[in-house]
Amino acid sequence: MNMRLKLAMAIIPLGIIIAAVPENTTRPYKLTAPQLLDEVKEGIQFVSTDEVADMLIQKDPSLQLIDVRDKDSYDKFHLPGAINIPLADLLSVENEDYLNQDVKMNVFYSNGTTSSNEAWMITRQLGYINNYVMQGGLNHYAETIMNPSAPASTSPDDEFARYDFRKGASAALGGGNLNAAAEDAPSAPKPTIKKRAKKKRVAGGC
């Protein structure tokens, strides 16, 4: 695939997403489309399934998983500790304090990468920080963490080390079956987020 085609594949979805974001005056956009495109091309938003699994095993308090699928899909299965903010509700005022903060590392996920990447693009364009995307989504999580495949006998040592980690993570996080793991992942209440202090306006006039 040549570079021109890759660039087109990145620009077209980006344009559709940005065009679909409702106009608002209370939360002005912080990034231009070219600036956002530069970040998209660098892939700085992605967190691997291995990183997510490791943070779950370590019970890292800084991690906040955000499932952007609809409520029915979330209720059927979601990752441990994940909260549900459907993509359609992303711009609701009630969700702003979860998305626009500098305490938690928010990681969006969906079945694949498309919807979660859209969530990241929208929040990033609004200037929010600490929001990321689990690369490959739940499908890749199931493939790499829940049901890891053994490497070929001729694979390098780092492949075997990665496989050993994934086997251990699979055992620690429910292993093998997403439906079975769902029984151990009750719906998580949204955590209390301390609201950001609003900057006081400077009084004007003579």
Side-chain angles (χ1 to χ4, degrees):
M1 186 180 297
N2 62 43
M3 184 58 66
R4 183 175 297 177
L5 182 56
K6 288 182 179 179
L7 186 59
M9 291 176 65
I11 291 174
I12 292 171
L14 176 62
I16 294 172
I17 293 166
I18 292 175
V21 177
E23 182 179 0
N24 72 81
T25 57
T26 58
R27 289 178 288 170
Y29 301 138
K30 305 295 184 182
L31 296 182
T32 65
Q35 288 173 323
L36 186 56
L37 179 58
D38 285 341
E39 293 194 6
V40 169
K41 289 189 292 185
E42 291 176 13
I44 62 174
Q45 74 272 36
F46 291 119
V47 176
S48 72
T49 53
D50 291 320
E51 291 174 281
V52 169
D54 185 57
M55 294 180 80
L56 286 174
I57 293 169
Q58 301 298 330
K59 301 186 186 301
D60 190 326
S62 69
L63 175 66
Q64 180 60 71
L65 293 168
I66 299 180
D67 190 322
V68 298
R69 299 173 301 158
D70 59 72
K71 186 177 184 301
D72 287 343
S73 298
Y74 171 81
D75 287 341
K76 289 176 183 176
F77 172 76
H78 57 268
L79 295 179
I83 61 174
N84 185 214
I85 301 180
L87 184 61
D89 299 332
L90 196 72
L91 293 179
S92 296
V93 174
E94 65 184 27
N95 293 322
E96 183 177 1
D97 289 331
Y98 298 105
L99 303 174
N100 184 23
Q101 49 77 42
D102 54 9
V103 177
K104 293 280 190 177
M105 175 183 175
N106 289 334
V107 178
F108 297 124
Y109 73 83
S110 51
N111 288 329
T113 302
T114 303
S115 294
S116 49
N117 213 27
E118 290 175 4
W120 174 81
M121 286 182 180
I122 292 169
T123 56
R124 190 69 195 94
Q125 192 186 23
L126 289 169
Y128 298 171
I129 61 173
N130 290 347
N131 295 308
Y132 299 89
V133 174
M134 184 171 76
Q135 193 162 26
L138 284 176
N139 295 333
H140 192 56
Y141 182 88
E143 177 184 337
T144 57
I145 304 301
M146 305 303 285
N147 296 287
S149 299
S153 59
T154 55
S155 298
D157 290 344
D158 61 336
E159 288 293 323
F160 283 98
R162 185 179 296 111
Y163 175 62
D164 288 341
F165 164 77
R166 289 173 173 176
K167 281 199 305 181
S170 177
L173 297 172
N177 188 321
L178 286 180
N179 292 326
E183 298 175 1
D184 297 324
S187 296
K190 289 184 177 179
T192 300
I193 297 291
K194 185 177 180 181
K195 292 187 176 182
R196 287 177 154 223
K198 302 293 184 182
K199 292 183 179 180
K200 293 183 179 180
R201 292 185 178 180
V202 178
C206 299

